[in-house]
């Protein structure tokens, strides 16, 4: 359980880090979308390991194959099944970890849940599972783009280095201009140094990803439990290593007065707008037509190449020095993952709102 | 749509601020629970307006009535329906707001969604909707208590005043000792002053609620999308005025190294434990047997009694000075709401895990 | 679990036969529906006991109360909660059955499931639970009527007496003209005699309800699992005492050749139609614009007033002669129940199709 | 939408008749099941075309490939993804049908729903979609077998030829002994003649499949909507060409008296049992420990090789004489499909009941 997401746009992902393949089934994609597979591949390439010196060295081409749902280049309303074969799996590298629990990884909690686990590279808990998410999000990106929506994420923080990014102006090219995916060049250079230093120290480091969705109409999201903000929170906290979520001003709003935080309404070009956007585009859980702005905190990757104290499955204390191929900092590759989750939630709620208003 | 939550423990809430009643249907409550209605009432009393000088003056007794699901004092497996009549509804106080949009409230976004709205006291967007959540959570509290779980929340921050609270030691009595629900007496006194000053200034102020769940066994939560952390995030961001969520170290983890953040495993009294808990009790989305620790940020209440710029439904600029009965700071009453959402998520996942392992 | 139904139009029913109340929460009702509560009451009156000499003598007025979701007479998009108080509950009549299992009733299977049961009048397994279904269906009837859909059911068979009913021509007035709800007057008179004879013999008897939905556009229903026919089957087999379901020609189609069963397409008044309707309006699980025709088989009511062999909870053989107030034949009161389930399924799929095509 | 099924044991199928592949993702399979892939292949072989002279000549080996969810031969709790490549697709055979609607096929209703369709061999509406169902059911068969449950279906009727089958005694070998899958040898021979005559006449013919589930414990199924009978009805009516469903005595129960239909309880070997099983193992929607017995009616296959009247997409009257490879009678191949759907529903409800009782 747990590998299914969405109400009207539903996805089911499958695959382990070192199994035969990873992928996704997308049900509910409206008919008639002319799918550009190169754009799907582009997002998978932004996610894949080995794309820069800052990422894991695992060598995966991650070529996507469409198993169903396309006819003459367009979606038909039938489920889209997208698959990527695992090519550079090296399970033997994990043999040493078969009987012990890597600290702050999912090894122990999976064992406690299932009484067993696929120890090859983290199995289902590996970030490789996000291939299916990113592929599905890339389909959603095309559908939403045709409806005027753009979703863009970037690296906002690595360790204690915080970038200056204006969500209203940041562009895709600015993000992709640097391997860190930080659109602030000064901060980006410092982040790169920090990540490289962290790697040299055989350590890992956390970071924050910011995201904006532009062109979202007012009215998306449902009252009470399925608020747009709530479904975004779930989707983003479901990403590996994600530890915090903010919409609009987030935790900073806690220290504010209502007279400062409230966004006054005004009329611009005949449309009702707000004069500022501390609400991050969502009021009462429902989009208000302003840009949706959110941030996601990622902890440092659990696998470090230093000696750590841990225990075996049998409960014996041991020291572990991990091997394998891992990123020193997850956030450059988390950028397309964050975008994918936001795209999937917006797509689902767009369809839900079509049902509400007809 | 949107008023249903949960997979195996499902709830459906109903009711508006100024309609006849609010309540909840709880489906999936296991049979045989001896329900103490006074404990349900206790949590409703902690949530209700008028409980202290710090809260709204609306005079609601909020007496709970059981409509179904109990037989000879015990649950039968059938849906529990719990209802509270609205007694002190004064819709006429809202007449003035019928045609205009209160800034940062849900007025405009509901209108954009539905083309209509119940303008009496916020209708379904009112915090009065949380009566059903708190009643359901209070049932979950009893079921989980019988299984060794305790969930406790407190006020951790009001404006810029931050309390010192040790999640490992804080007790219910400490929280309830002060009308702010802050268990740090020094901070509590300053918070009370701040809230009273804010009210005098006809303004509102935000805050942060912390929460701990003790006694949760390892293995709750599902991989990938239905991670325990993800479902907690959704449940908590679904609360009115909620703007941020953190599990474990949250955003602070972003600035940490893996060698510092990782929680080493050890064996204590024959059980596998961690020597510290920066993971907040959840690893890979699944509980690891340590205390679950989280924080929720609330923005200042949108309704302030100062003049604000806004527009009418017809798009005319107007000035608004709100009336009605509102809290200057939501967090003291948000404490039982946060507990309720955490209880409901844990209860649902506990039942899901019974299905996994039999 | 099990008391929630639907994807976009969701209902949750609650209440036991001899508890305080029965009712339903309806989530997903589109905004702006002007609800005529007298039409809701009309369907509840068609369902209630004591309406004629052919039904149970339990004296329930079954007055519906709206707890939420209406504002100025119209729906708002918020959940509608509808409640009916139980007034003529006489649980003491069931004391004798506390420790034994009535044959072919749900007593034993509920006990096996839950380890406990509410033995007062069947508790949740009572047909009184259908009050919530019929109330929700009556709301759906109004929404669908505004979209050109009419749903009408009738009694087609009682025991071995089979009525001649033309689904294309039968009218509501014809059905309601006779207490049996059979629109064929000759058969209706014989059915009444049969039911009265059955009652005199302290026995019960089964029957068949037919149903037609007119004005359903082509395109409702989803491929594969959520076929319109499949969701109708589930909804109708979920009714108490229901044992069989047919769409179109049903079991009779098994004996037919394709060359006979196939419905040729033609063009009438510019629209694509079929020249006959052996498909019952559904092809490939999706409506084709013709009238939807189905039939539901009901077994005889399990509670008979004759001596029967059974066992106690402790496993001792005993003889039981039941008391209480029960119908000798369920089908006259099942007519509004069948309509309600068909209405709810069509309403849900109508909203789903709005999401597909926008 | 519509390609997802189940609550705790969830499947998502994908694939079209003439696309690259068909398959299924199974989420919720408990960990530790030692999966015998040859048994999965066996059921796929029973479903595949070309297996006998009575079935379609399409030449598919239907070899199953496991993409995820297995580790060292056992399930891990992660999603199982199973795929079969389409090898003998001949879309060009369908070119002639691109612009017209085959009578009683899904061509028109899909077009009405989506505004487009994959006309190659029926696309998603093809019975080839059931490969994923049968593969998933074959996994469920192994899990349920380990828990003492056996599910067995057979052909009970072809056209007007009705077999004599005792659900209490029929065995797998009896069913598989004849290409019709009718375990009554006399009827089987007559059915074979009837099917062959039908094919010679370029026609098709309907039939009925019977099914029994043995070893199901009392207590499976949920009250009200998710009754075991209701979920079985949905699952079975979701099969291509399915038109009717009966549980226990089904429509025959309509003509019975309660005194005859009721199943008296007794005690056998210390267990509470019924002395007969007209209820078909389900009372109040919940299993009672007796064998579950049901029947499914299938209409004749829509594609016949005779001339038929129909219309084009543009609404012009045309005559159609179909080509392609099709079965003259679906029921021999429907037997493993019926078993698969029953297995999937029982598996899901078994897991749900684990959650109820712990």
């Amino acid at each position: 359980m747990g590998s299914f997401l969405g109400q009207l746009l539903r996805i089911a992902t499958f695959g382990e880090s070192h199994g035969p393949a990873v992928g996704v089934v997308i049900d509910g994609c409206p008919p008639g979308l002319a799918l550009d597979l190169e754009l799907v591949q582009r997002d998978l390439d932004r996610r894949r390991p080995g794309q820069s010196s800052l990422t894991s060295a695992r060598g995966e081409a991650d070529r996507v194959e469409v198993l169903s749902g396309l006819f003459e280049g367009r979606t038909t309303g039938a489920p889209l099944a997208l698959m990527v074969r695992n090519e550079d799996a090296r399970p033997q590298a994990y043999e040493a970890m078969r009987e012990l629990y890597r600290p702050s990884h999912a090894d122990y909690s999976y064992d406690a849940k299932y009484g067993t686990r696929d120890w090859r590279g983290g199995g289902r808990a590996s970030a490789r599972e996000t291939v299916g998410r990113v592929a599905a999000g890339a389909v959603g990106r095309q559908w939403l783009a045709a409806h005027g929506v753009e979703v863009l994420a970037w690296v906002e923080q690595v360790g204690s280095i915080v970038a200056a990014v204006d969500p209203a102006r940041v562009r895709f090219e600015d993000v992709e201009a640097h391997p860190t995916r930080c659109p602030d060049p000064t901060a980006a250079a410092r982040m790169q140094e920090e990540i490289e230093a962290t790697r040299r120290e055989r350590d890992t480091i956390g970071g924050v990803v910011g995201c904006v969705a532009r062109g979202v109409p007012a009215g998306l999201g449902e009252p009470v439990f399925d608020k747009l903000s709530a479904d975004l929170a779930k989707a983003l906290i479901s990403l590996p290593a994600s530890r915090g979520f903010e919409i609009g001003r987030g935790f900073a709003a806690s220290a504010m007065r209502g007279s400062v935080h409230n966004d006054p309404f005004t009329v611009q070009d005949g449309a009702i707008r707000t004069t500022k956007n501390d609400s991050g585009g969502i009021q009462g859980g429902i989009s208000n037509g302003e840009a949706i702005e959110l941030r996601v905190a990622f902890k440092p990757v659990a696998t470090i190449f230093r000696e750590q104290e841990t225990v075996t499955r049998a409960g014996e204390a041991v020291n572990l020095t991990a091997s394998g191929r891992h990123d020193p900092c997850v956030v450059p590759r988390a950028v397309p993952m964050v975008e994918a989750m936001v795209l999937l939630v917006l797509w689902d709620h767009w369809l839900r709102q079509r049902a509400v208003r007809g």
Side-chain angles (χ1 to χ4, degrees), chain A residues 54 155 157-162 178 180 186-207 300 328-329 331-332:
Chain A
L54 298 182
V155 168
Q157 184 178 335
V158 167
S160 54
I161 304 162
V162 182
H178 195 274
T180 56
T186 313
R190 292 178 56 214
M191 287 174 180
Q192 181 162 11
E193 284 170 31
E194 177 71 13
I195 294 171
E196 287 169 352
T198 301
R199 168 179 273 160
R200 282 192 303 271
E201 295 164 34
R202 310 179 71 79
D203 212 340
T204 59
I205 194 161
C329 181
V331 288

Side-chain angles (χ1 to χ4, degrees), chain A residues 196-240:
Chain A
E196 287 169 352
T198 301
R199 168 179 273 160
R200 282 192 303 271
E201 295 164 34
R202 310 179 71 79
D203 212 340
T204 59
I205 194 161
V208 173
V209 173
C211 185
V212 65
R214 298 169 181 140
V216 177
L220 301 199
E222 304 283 338
V224 186
F225 300 121
D226 294 351
K227 289 184 160 90
L228 187 58
S229 38
D231 279 348
L232 287 167
K234 171 172 170 139
L236 290 161
I237 294 294
S238 82
L239 283 172

Side-chain angles (χ1 to χ4, degrees), chain A residues 57-311:
Chain A
R58 182 167 168 168
E60 294 285 354
D62 281 356
R63 297 302 302 179
V64 65
E65 180 185 3
V66 179
L67 299 176
S68 72
L70 271 192
F71 178 57
E72 299 178 340
R74 289 183 181 269
T75 59
T76 62
L80 280 164
L82 307 178
M83 181 178 69
V84 166
R85 293 276 180 188
N86 291 329
E87 295 173 348
D88 190 23
R90 300 184 197 166
Q92 61 284 7
Y94 294 88
E95 275 282 352
M97 295 174 218
R98 184 171 191 149
E99 293 298 323
L100 50 78
Y101 298 128
R102 292 170 294 168
S104 290
H105 214 294
D107 298 344
Y108 171 66
S109 52
Y110 268 58
D111 235 2
K113 181 171 196 68
Y114 293 120
T116 182
R117 71 190 159 97
D118 181 345
W119 47 261
R120 302 166 303 171
R124 187 73 179 141
S126 164
R128 189 141 187 83
E129 168 269 321
T130 62
V131 164
R133 306 182 188 223
V134 169
V139 178
R141 189 191 298 280
Q142 297 180 46
W143 193 88
L144 286 165
H147 291 78
V149 174
E150 179 196 24
V151 172
L152 180 60
W154 59 86
V155 168
E156 190 156 309
Q157 184 178 335
V158 167
S160 54
I161 304 162
V162 182
V165 182
D166 180 354
R169 296 176 192 278
V170 62
R171 299 172 310 160
F172 180 75
E173 309 82 79
D174 305 331
V175 174
E176 295 300 312
H178 195 274
T180 56
R181 292 207 168 85
C182 174
D184 168 351
T186 313
R190 292 178 56 214
M191 287 174 180
Q192 181 162 11
E193 284 170 31
E194 177 71 13
I195 294 171
E196 287 169 352
T198 301
R199 168 179 273 160
R200 282 192 303 271
E201 295 164 34
R202 310 179 71 79
D203 212 340
T204 59
I205 194 161
V208 173
V209 173
C211 185
V212 65
R214 298 169 181 140
V216 177
L220 301 199
E222 304 283 338
V224 186
F225 300 121
D226 294 351
K227 289 184 160 90
L228 187 58
S229 38
D231 279 348
L232 287 167
K234 171 172 170 139
L236 290 161
I237 294 294
S238 82
L239 283 172
S242 163
R243 297 265 111 189
F245 169 84
E246 294 184 321
I247 188 80
R249 300 280 286 190
F251 277 86
S254 307
M256 293 169 77
R257 291 286 183 98
S259 57
V260 175
H261 184 272
N262 281 358
D263 295 330
F265 283 109
T266 186
V267 172
Q268 284 179 14
D269 304 328
I272 292 176
R273 302 291 305 274
T274 60
T275 59
K276 63 186 185 64
N277 188 22
D278 281 339
S279 300
I282 297 181
Q283 292 176 328
I286 297 171
S287 64
N288 69 350
E290 306 300 318
I292 292 173
E293 297 177 11
L294 58 88
R295 298 165 76 244
V296 187
F298 292 87
K299 66 168 183 142
V301 172
T303 303
I304 59 176
F305 300 109
R306 297 177 170 201
E307 189 175 88
Q308 297 182 86
E309 293 176 9
T310 191
V311 298

